[in-house]
Amino acid sequence: MATDTLIGPGFSDPVFQSQGAFRALLAALAEPGTRHVVSGAVVPPKGLHAATATALLTLADYETLIWLPAALRDGAAGAWLRFHCSAALVSDPARAAFAVIDAGSPEPALSAFDSGSDQFPDRSTTLIVQCTALEGGEAVTLTGPGIATSRVIAPAGPRAGFWAEVAANNDAYPLGIDLLLSHADAVFGLPRSTRIGEVY
Amino acid sequence: MTMHQALPGDDTHSVDSTRPAYNYAYLDEQTKRMIRRALLKAVAVPGYQVPFGSREMPLARGWGTGGIQVTAAIIGPDDTLKVIDQGADDTTNAVSIRRFFEKTADARTTEATEQATIIQTRHRIPEAPLTAGQIMVYQVPQPEPLRKLEPREAETRKMHAWAEYGLMQVKLYENIARFGEVTTTYDYPVMINGRYIMAPSPIPKFDNPKMHMSPALQLFGAGREKRIYALPPHTSVRSLDFEDHPFRIQSWTQPCALCAASDSYLDEVVIDDQGSRMFVCSDSHHCETRRADGHRGTMLGDATASGLVEESKS
């Protein structure tokens, strides 16, 4: 049997590893644009970064639907999430509570995900965008709640027009999706409340 | 079953096996995940009340079950917990909740505001300025600021959805028309990030300005009403007012009788049946710190002589 069909282990200590990872995610979304290490000592399945896999292991369960790109859904990542989170994987991005995309992939548009309803803006997708690096890319200025004055981030790898989509997501505030930009074991939070300033 | 639960007869485990086996921090992991998801959405939409599946806790609703569930979902071995009730570390609610987390989460606890990473509070914000990295957890009895004006949840939800907040301004206006000033002194409504009106929990309006652009993360849990909401650090918090009737905080004619502080929130205490009274800091740690620094109020001598407060070490 090929080893890539085997499902790797999840948390070795679910209580404290998920607590530590959650605090990193909470800090990331509370202070957008600051880098936080989501450590869970998890070996991620093929196609997911360690931070992405740890975040999903921390937050997803049988109550949350997950959307993955078809290649990941049908591969090791899909099997790993089904087994460890008991989460259902859906093919319609608009139904997902959590979703993962690669920053460079042209599809789907951010607007394809669930942005909540005016009476329940919390019922929206949390989207994990896997970048090729969290620095060295196009720089953007962030302002808004969680940021004292402004912050500059420059994650590498987002597709053309990505920041315009993020800005449009913020325009719909309080509706919108919340983003986590991940690479290796670290994340940036980019909630819908963050305004995207000039792109250098 | 996780490794943190004691098995019967498992004497290799550090947990006392004669005690019932609780999961770390009392709540089960699925409940924590549900609360954590709600917290992340609450942080993403500051001031918006996220519904959550509030659990039955081992104390009555109305005694801080919302705050306890939030604390249980975030606390870890690296945290130091401070619990206050009306500013004091030594009152029933604060002592019980602190003991609850010492027992179920092996929590390190403190009374010093500066040393705490998580501060669970009922109805006060400490006088010492909060710092980046600290998390305030508020116990909230009524999360809906519009509830007394509109009893139907379906209606208040629409009012928030469409930012129809005229009713609240009318209420404040009627207050001014009848009494000459806004008479709300606690749970004074605030506008968050220019979008949602939020109940700051029944803190005195004295504390409202401390929320504005605070460097600390502020989380609110309402157990009975099943709502969680949040304020990220550096978020705009504006107490509602009018141009010709600006928002004002309380002031007192005399300083604290024990530590002589003139800039802290004071409780009025009746001390005999002749109508005598004294004013003392509501924040017990702040008052003790000031006394230890040598500040002396007019009645400190009397209070020390009758054993009400310990003589400061200096």
Side-chain angles (χ1 to χ4, degrees), chain B residues 8 27 47 51 75 109 122 139 149 154 158 180 208 225 235 246 267 269 275 287 298:
Chain B
L27 296 175
I75 197 169
T109 56
R122 171 174 176 269
Q139 303 169 201
L149 307 172
K158 286 177 200 159
N208 276 16
E225 304 292 329
T235 300
D267 286 334
V269 184
C287 200
T298 51

Side-chain angles (χ1 to χ4, degrees), chain A residues 118-132:
Chain A
D118 56 359
Q119 295 188 33
F120 291 96
D122 56 304
R123 296 180 187 172
S124 68
T125 306
T126 301
L127 177 64
I128 304 176
V129 181
Q130 304 199 107
C131 302
T132 50

Side-chain angles (χ1 to χ4, degrees), chain A residues 85-104:
Chain A
C85 303
S86 317
L89 303 182
V90 289
S91 54
D92 177 7
R95 291 179 60 207
F98 294 100
V100 180
I101 62 170
D102 279 317

Side-chain angles (χ1 to χ4, degrees), chain A residues 44-177:
Chain A
K46 189 163 172 285
L48 296 184
H49 287 263
T52 311
T54 308
L56 289 174
L57 216 48
T58 301
L59 297 172
D61 57 32
Y62 65 88
E63 293 184 332
T64 59
L65 302 176
I66 300 178
W67 183 92
L68 294 180
L72 292 183
R73 184 167 70 239
D74 301 333
W80 190 83
L81 287 173
R82 278 197 188 93
F83 179 75
H84 286 297
C85 303
S86 317
L89 303 182
V90 289
S91 54
D92 177 7
R95 291 179 60 207
F98 294 100
V100 180
I101 62 170
D102 279 317
S105 75
E107 298 236 282
L110 297 191
S111 56
F113 294 99
D114 186 2
S115 59
S117 64
D118 56 359
Q119 295 188 33
F120 291 96
D122 56 304
R123 296 180 187 172
S124 68
T125 306
T126 301
L127 177 64
I128 304 176
V129 181
Q130 304 199 107
C131 302
T132 50
L134 289 183
E135 52 195 15
E138 195 179 22
V140 288
T141 311
L142 311 179
T143 54
I147 305 169
T149 50
S150 69
R151 257 183 215 125
V152 176
I153 60 167
R159 64 194 179 207
F162 177 78
W163 292 112
E165 284 185 84
V166 178
N169 182 54
N170 169 256
D171 285 344
Y173 182 85
L175 302 191
I177 61 172

Side-chain angles (χ1 to χ4, degrees), chain B residues 18-93:
Chain B
T18 58
R19 291 215 320 246
Y22 291 117
N23 192 31
Y24 176 79
Y26 188 76
L27 296 175
D28 59 279
E29 290 305 299
Q30 204 278 327
T31 299
K32 287 188 199 166
R33 268 196 301 275
M34 175 269 297
I35 294 174
R36 287 168 181 169
R37 289 195 294 261
L39 283 170
L40 292 185
K41 287 301 177 190
V43 162
V45 192
Y48 166 75
Q49 303 161 48
V50 182
F52 81 110
S54 179
R55 297 297 192 248
E56 200 76 36
M57 297 300 284
L59 75 170
R61 289 185 166 159
W63 286 78
T65 53
I68 292 174
Q69 289 178 78
V70 170
T71 301
I74 63 175
I75 197 169
D78 299 336
D79 284 311
T80 306
L81 178 69
K82 171 182 165 84
V83 186
I84 54 174
D85 171 5
Q86 302 276 14
D89 292 276
D90 52 3
T91 44
T92 314
N93 197 233

Side-chain angles (χ1 to χ4, degrees), chain B residues 4 7 40 72 77 91 102 197 224 265 277 293:
Chain B
H4 308 289
L7 296 166
L40 292 185
T91 44
E102 282 169 356
I197 286 190
R224 183 188 55 213
Y265 186 78
R277 49 203 65 211
D293 289 347

